[in-house]
Amino acid sequence: MSVQERKERERASRERLIVATARELAEQQGWDAVTTRRLAERIEYSQPVLYSHFRGKREIIGAVALEGAAEMAAALRAAASGADGRRARVSALAHAYLEFAERNPAVYDALFQLDGGLTFAHEDTPEPLKDAFAALLETLGEVAGEGVHPALFTELFWSALHGMVTLTRAGRLLPEGAEERLDLLVERLAVL
């Protein structure tokens, strides 16, 4: 292995460590606790080393979001592929989405609530974000209904799921109605 290859591997390893540490800290204490000073202390590198990888917290949030988008896409596909029939696939996908948000609140915030410097719904949208949407579209596109654009239907369904996540986390929806809400969404919005 050349010196250059070794340095590139070390750099990639440090970058993964920074992202993992930021994510861990955010999940434990919230994004306000994630500072370059704290990250530098936790990973035992200087702040200039962090800045050699990321220009600041915004880029770190973006890196966590991209990692989370890839994980979300995998979880959605796994849930949908394990279900038999259109209704079961849509229900499994919706459950997987809500479970991902519940298990990974800081990642969910990085994806959809915080400014990570990422563009959505544009040509230059990063691939992991496009793929997460594609994971939704693959299942939801088949239940959009005749004459309904599959991507628009997917955006509407996704918006409803996001609203459920956001309102539940804010204590605006009663927890005991969660399953009924999800069943209603699946039954009434999707053409099964």
Side-chain angles (χ1 to χ4, degrees), residues 13-82:
S13 177
R14 269 194 316 270
E15 198 163 294
R16 284 190 304 274
L17 177 62
I18 293 166
V19 171
T21 304
R23 183 176 175 168
E24 179 184 312
L25 188 57
E27 291 291 2
Q28 292 171 353
Q29 299 176 31
W31 278 104
D32 287 342
V34 179
T35 64
T36 54
R37 184 183 57 76
R38 282 183 121 177
L39 286 174
E41 288 171 3
R42 284 211 174 184
I43 65 171
E44 298 178 347
Y45 283 102
S46 68
Q47 285 183 348
V49 170
L50 264 95
Y51 285 116
S52 74
H53 290 274
F54 300 99
R55 286 183 292 208
K57 184 175 176 176
R58 181 179 187 219
E59 283 189 5
I60 294 169
I61 290 169
V64 169
L66 293 176
E67 185 178 272
E71 292 171 11
M72 177 184 276
L76 296 176
R77 285 189 176 104
S81 71

Side-chain angles (χ1 to χ4, degrees), residues 10-182:
E10 288 172 357
R11 181 172 176 74
S13 177
R14 269 194 316 270
E15 198 163 294
R16 284 190 304 274
L17 177 62
I18 293 166
V19 171
T21 304
R23 183 176 175 168
E24 179 184 312
L25 188 57
E27 291 291 2
Q28 292 171 353
Q29 299 176 31
W31 278 104
D32 287 342
V34 179
T35 64
T36 54
R37 184 183 57 76
R38 282 183 121 177
L39 286 174
E41 288 171 3
R42 284 211 174 184
I43 65 171
E44 298 178 347
Y45 283 102
S46 68
Q47 285 183 348
V49 170
L50 264 95
Y51 285 116
S52 74
H53 290 274
F54 300 99
R55 286 183 292 208
K57 184 175 176 176
R58 181 179 187 219
E59 283 189 5
I60 294 169
I61 290 169
V64 169
L66 293 176
E67 185 178 272
E71 292 171 11
M72 177 184 276
L76 296 176
R77 285 189 176 104
S81 71
D84 190 29
R86 289 170 19 151
R87 185 196 189 293
R89 279 193 299 280
V90 172
S91 182
L93 176 94
H95 278 93
Y97 185 95
L98 297 178
E99 288 167 10
F100 181 87
E102 185 178 339
R103 279 192 326 271
N104 305 284
V107 172
Y108 193 84
D109 285 347
L111 271 164
F112 303 118
Q113 305 286 71
L114 302 173
D115 179 9
L118 304 173
T119 56
F120 287 78
H122 291 282
E123 291 175 14
D124 61 343
T125 297
E127 283 306 314
L129 299 179
K130 288 180 182 179
D131 190 48
F133 184 77
L136 290 166
L137 181 62
E138 290 161 10
T139 296
L140 296 172
E142 67 183 58
V143 297
E146 191 173 323
V148 177
H149 193 283
L152 291 177
F153 177 78
T154 300
E155 289 173 345
L156 178 64
F157 200 96
W158 172 32
S159 298
L161 290 173
H162 177 69
M164 290 169 69
V165 168
T166 304
L167 293 170
T168 299
R169 287 174 64 186
R172 304 290 197 271
L173 297 176
L174 296 172
E176 56 268 11
E179 196 62 38
E180 291 172 74
R181 270 190 293 286
L182 194 56

